[in-house]
Amino acid sequence: MALTVCSRSFINRSRFSSLVYSYFNKNIVQMLPPCQAASNSTKDADQSRMQRGLPKKLPIGGVDQVIVVASGKGGVGKSTTAVNLALSLKELDKTKLVGILDADVYGPSIPKMMNLKGPVHLNKQQLMMPLVNYDIKCMSMGFLIEDEKDPIVWRGLMVMSAIQRLLRQVSWGPLDYLVVDMPPGTGDVQLTMSQNIPIDGAVIVTTPQDVALLDARKGTEMFRKVEVPVLGVVQNMSAYECPKCGHTEHIFGKDGATNLAKK
């Protein structure tokens, strides 16, 4: 399935939010499986994973369901979609507890989008306390650096260690949904997340260009290989709507995500 977003000057936040509210209410939330106790099939899957040398998936303490928002290419509106998804889940049911994890270590966007900045405090258990805005718990590497202009120049092992800390050493619970804003690509972070925690579904974000669709297809196939269900495809920047006459022009192409979702 695909959600096509047509926006004036690329992103009209009110229209985008309205589309996301209705779409995820009708489709994504209903597709999420209920949280259940481990069954025999789950135990068999864990044994199979251990025989193949893969780590056993351990749930995040206090988190009911995990949804990752990913893309094969950067700059397609993935972080915007993740924030709107989290806000939509909260809007749909005020009783639900929702959080956002910014897993993009090199280019964290959540602090800016959620209008939050550090410092991050520790609780009595020495766990980091998420920052909160709009009733959404948030954690990002952007909260942990002194100056937001400072680049994070780390090798892969340090990034993996940071991801593990953001998953395991943050006081997330209790949460009904944790939305994870993934970095672009299909690299170490994506594999670490998919192999170490149970993920209930992935949302793929793309734009209509052929190059973006090619990378989105790679992202979709990666999640299939690691047995993470793909809930849907969001096509961002679908068209330009003239603010004067209202004419809509598909300057980047048309129906790319729809065709991808059909495959």
Side-chain angles (χ1 to χ4, degrees):
M1 80 181 53
L3 168 64
T4 300
V5 179
C6 172
S7 53
R8 179 172 298 168
S9 299
F10 300 138
I11 296 179
N12 182 305
R13 300 180 82 77
S14 61
R15 180 179 298 182
F16 185 85
S17 297
S18 177
L19 282 169
V20 172
Y21 287 159
S22 59
Y23 179 78
F24 284 104
N25 183 32
K26 295 178 181 177
N27 298 289
I28 300 301
V29 176
Q30 296 176 6
M31 292 174 63
L32 292 176
C35 181
Q36 297 178 348
S39 61
N40 291 332
S41 61
T42 303
K43 295 178 181 178
D44 293 340
D46 289 340
Q47 292 177 356
S48 176
R49 288 175 58 82
M50 294 177 66
Q51 291 173 358
R52 288 181 290 163
L54 297 176
K56 182 179 180 180
K57 292 185 179 182
L58 298 175
I60 304 172
V63 176
D64 206 4
Q65 300 196 71
V66 177
I67 309 169
V68 298
V69 179
S71 67
K73 182 174 290 296
V76 297
K78 171 177 51 57
S79 297
T80 304
T81 303
V83 169
N84 277 279
L85 173 57
L87 293 172
S88 300
L89 291 170
K90 186 66 178 179
E91 181 72 16
L92 291 170
D93 189 344
K94 300 291 187 182
T95 65
K96 298 297 184 181
L97 301 175
V98 184
I100 300 179
L101 168 59
D102 190 349
D104 193 345
V105 173
Y106 294 119
S109 301
I110 297 303
K112 185 70 172 181
M113 291 190 170
M114 294 298 289
N115 194 27
L116 289 169
K117 61 174 61 177
V120 174
H121 300 286
L122 302 178
N123 62 13
K124 295 180 180 179
Q125 291 75 36
Q126 297 300 302
L127 298 176
M128 291 183 286
M129 299 295 295
L131 276 62
V132 180
N133 200 8
Y134 309 112
D135 290 328
I136 306 292
K137 294 182 179 180
C138 306
M139 182 51 66
S140 168
M141 277 300 301
F143 300 149
L144 306 177
I145 55 178
E146 294 183 1
D147 190 339
E148 63 180 9
K149 297 179 182 178
D150 290 340
I152 298 176
V153 186
W154 287 352
R155 294 187 183 274
L157 289 176
M158 294 183 68
V159 175
M160 295 306 99
S161 176
I163 292 297
Q164 289 290 353
R165 290 174 181 273
L166 293 175
L167 289 173
R168 306 295 182 188
Q169 297 185 16
V170 175
S171 180
W172 285 113
L175 280 184
D176 295 293
Y177 301 107
L178 177 63
V179 178
V180 182
D181 180 19
M182 301 282 275
T186 56
D188 288 342
V189 173
Q190 287 80 359
L191 286 174
T192 297
M193 297 286 290
S194 59
Q195 292 179 352
N196 284 274
I197 64 172
I199 298 176
D200 295 280
V203 177
I204 306 297
V205 183
T206 184
T207 53
Q209 299 99 317
D210 290 340
V211 174
L213 290 168
L214 179 63
D215 289 339
R217 185 175 293 109
K218 293 177 182 178
T220 302
E221 290 302 318
M222 183 211 71
F223 283 116
R224 287 177 178 169
K225 287 183 178 180
V226 296
E227 300 177 348
V228 172
V230 176
L231 302 178
V233 181
V234 175
Q235 179 172 285
N236 199 14
M237 305 181 194
S238 294
Y240 173 76
E241 183 179 302
C242 177
K244 294 183 177 180
C245 68
H247 172 71
T248 298
E249 186 69 30
H250 297 275
I251 58 178
F252 295 136
K254 186 179 180 181
D255 296 333
T258 301
N259 296 330
L260 175 61
K262 291 178 180 179
K263 296 179 181 180

